[in-house]
Amino acid sequence: MQKTPTILIVENNCNQRTLYAEELADEGYYVVCASQGCEALDIVECQHPDAVVLDINMPDMDGLEVLS
């Protein structure tokens, strides 16, 4: 049995985050969401998503900091 790919969405704007999550879920992906960088890092460590959609402009930790 093939595992459904997991996509982590990191977006501080609630409306954008919801839109991305709904669209990707409709395409058959398992979607996990984070609203800030530190939350995203915790999710990556625990869940090991297959792909990440990452907002660059976030207040606590920007996307470039998350990438590093």
Side-chain angles (χ1 to χ4, degrees):
M1 182 187 301
Q2 189 174 5
K3 176 187 161 232
T4 301
T6 300
I7 298 180
L8 169 60
I9 299 171
V10 187
E11 170 62 63
N12 63 300
N13 180 293
C14 181
N15 293 330
Q16 286 292 105
R17 191 171 59 247
T18 301
L19 175 66
Y20 297 154
E22 288 175 356
E23 291 295 324
L24 290 167
D26 286 347
E27 293 296 322
Y29 295 100
Y30 177 72
V31 178
V32 181
C33 295
S35 61
Q36 54 187 329
C38 57
E39 180 184 7
L41 293 175
D42 289 340
I43 291 170
V44 167
E45 190 172 308
C46 295
Q47 297 189 26
H48 308 285
D50 298 295
V52 178
V53 176
L54 179 60
D55 185 4
I56 295 299
N57 295 314
M58 294 184 291
D60 70 325
M61 174 185 252
D62 71 32
L64 297 176
E65 289 177 284
V66 174
L67 283 175
S68 65

